[in-house]
Amino acid sequence: MIPMTADLVVRNCTVVTPAGRTPDAGVAVEDGTITAVARGDRLPDAERVLDADGGVLAPGVVDCHIHNREPGLEYKEDWESATRAAAAGGVTTVVGMPNTDPVIDRPERLELKYERGEAGAHVDFQSYAVVTSENLEAIPDLDDAGVLGYKIFLGSTVGDVPPPTDGEILEAMERIGETGKRLGFHEENGEIIDYYTERFQADGRNDPIDHSHSRPVIAEQEAVERMVTFAAETDASIHMFHVSSGSAAEAVARGKERGVDVTAETTPHYLWFTEEVMHEKGNVARIQPPIRDADERERLWEVGIDGGAIDCVATDHAPHTPEEKKVDDPFGNTWEATSGFVGLETEVPVVLSFVDRGRLTLEEWVRRHSTRPAQVWGMYPEKGSLQIGTDADFTIVDPDEEWTLESSDELHSKNCVTPFVGESFVGKPTATVVRGEVVYEDGAVVGEPGYGTRVDVD
């Protein structure tokens, strides 16, 4: 039954879920939860009416891979600035990575990360905990503290978090399996990367493309294959973060065919760019794993997106200062630059541009950008759905707006270096609603820091 009144009604939109789309429709909200999804003429009166101006309303985007840098690295980013960018980008839930300072490896550090989020976040949030050789015994305590999931860094990455041994990884899988939660990986073979990095530096190969080639596809593919084999042995649920290549997507697909509970994500930059961007934008586009060649990108589309090996789209949003990214000398010595760039405000426009090109449908966008990440990480249906009684999180977009990101100054993070400056898109967020509160509209973040809250998981 549709209620007579509501706190908020969003009207004049096409409502899209993975199951399909309903034109000339809207949603009603009371006390932060959805009370109706209906045709426009059946919606109730409301204290506030938000006119979507003929746009698309989807369940709120869930970005399950951001580096918000807090605690300890707040000069790069913090919960407030990261979630301000999320709100402006149409993202209603984010999940922070654990390679902070200190790393999130024990309950008290996880609780500190949550406390900082409760004080500063504009949108809802969660966090992973890292697994190293030093904290296997803390896995059940981290579960009790409410952690969303766990992460292991297999290869060298920002923060230099050392990986456990293979034996310790097997033990970690068994312990995490007892919690019912999922273990994700930065999946690159560290020995391969270290070998080529040392060799290239000794040979004076210092160009941005040399960083990319020092982390070859085989390093990613081997790491996926090895973790899938370990998961088959331990019956663990695992996830591959930031899959960058078709070869790695094929390894994920083979794992799924074997019956392993392996899920995977890719990012907008791997689907949008090829490694030619390293010649065009230099260290600004330096990231780990690197952006691949055109053949690997096309197979990532074919196997990962069209074939279904990739479950989710996320950003790997990773702010660094312009000095750390060597913005003033983008084609200088790549080994002096750091890896990563922001993405929270370009992810929805990138994927909507793919919809405009016919590479995705709106339904497929919603599935990979909202519903599936919520399911993979145990937040569904509270997040990622438009079910009655669940959180009223909405991403509202104009799928036809054509625009260009002219400058990083248009973005909301503390540090906004990104190779997407100068790129043109079709589609843009127009409003963001988190638990019934409008946090972004008319080009401005209007929500208050501290409104966002931790997403509870079993």
Side-chain angles (χ1 to χ4, degrees), residues 93-352:
T93 302
V94 296
V95 186
M97 283 292 163
N99 53 331
T100 50
D101 185 15
V103 295
I104 308 304
D105 61 351
R106 301 192 180 276
E108 58 271 22
R109 294 176 176 180
L110 178 67
E111 289 162 5
L112 174 62
K113 194 172 183 78
Y114 288 153
E115 288 171 6
R116 297 283 185 87
E118 295 286 352
H122 291 268
V123 306
D124 288 351
F125 61 89
Q126 250 291 354
S127 177
Y128 303 110
V130 72
V131 177
T132 69
S133 297
E134 306 300 322
N135 75 327
L136 294 178
E137 77 290 344
I139 286 171
D141 294 332
L142 286 160
D143 176 47
D144 291 341
V147 75
L148 186 72
Y150 301 83
K151 182 173 184 179
I152 288 175
F153 293 87
L154 292 177
S156 59
T157 190
V158 176
D160 294 323
V161 181
T165 67
D166 281 354
E168 290 166 340
I169 293 171
L170 286 167
E171 182 177 347
M173 286 186 175
E174 291 170 348
R175 292 189 181 212
I176 292 169
E178 293 173 359
T179 73
K181 291 181 177 173
R182 191 172 293 271
L183 170 62
F185 294 91
H186 178 119
E187 65 277 7
E188 290 182 288
N189 180 301
E191 292 186 6
I192 293 173
I193 292 167
D194 291 346
Y195 172 79
Y196 282 108
T197 297
E198 292 172 8
R199 176 175 154 186
F200 285 12
Q201 289 177 344
D203 291 346
R205 295 179 58 178
N206 301 324
D207 292 337
I209 193 65
D210 294 319
H211 171 266
S212 299
H213 292 168
S214 73
R215 308 176 82 96
V217 167
I218 186 61
E220 182 180 35
Q221 180 183 343
E222 187 278 338
V224 174
E225 298 276 15
R226 182 159 42 100
M227 293 306 105
V228 165
T229 299
F230 286 8
E233 174 67 20
T234 59
D235 200 28
S237 298
I238 61 171
H239 181 78
M240 300 298 155
F241 290 111
H242 49 45
V243 171
S244 68
S245 64
S247 296
E250 288 167 353
V252 172
R254 288 191 291 271
K256 290 178 183 283
E257 291 167 1
R258 290 171 59 187
V260 175
D261 184 4
V262 52
T263 56
E265 74 188 33
T266 193
T267 71
H269 47 270
Y270 297 132
L271 298 172
W272 186 271
F273 294 113
T274 70
E275 67 175 20
E276 290 303 308
V277 73
M278 305 307 297
H279 299 295
E280 298 163 0
K281 303 188 180 186
N283 290 317
V284 167
R286 187 187 197 266
I287 198 161
Q288 299 169 179
I291 295 166
R292 306 298 186 180
D293 65 27
D295 175 68
E296 287 289 349
R297 181 186 67 173
E298 187 55 33
R299 286 195 291 126
L300 178 60
W301 270 101
E302 291 174 355
V303 178
I305 303 300
D306 301 337
I310 299 295
D311 297 85
C312 315
V313 172
T315 57
D316 193 8
H317 173 88
H320 299 285
T321 67
E323 293 76 19
E324 289 171 324
K325 291 294 293 179
K326 304 298 179 185
V327 168
D328 289 340
D329 185 21
F331 297 98
N333 188 333
T334 193
W335 310 113
E336 296 177 359
T338 194
S339 291
F341 45 78
V342 298
L344 278 163
E345 293 177 73
T346 50
E347 60 179 309
V348 170
V350 167
V351 182
L352 288 176

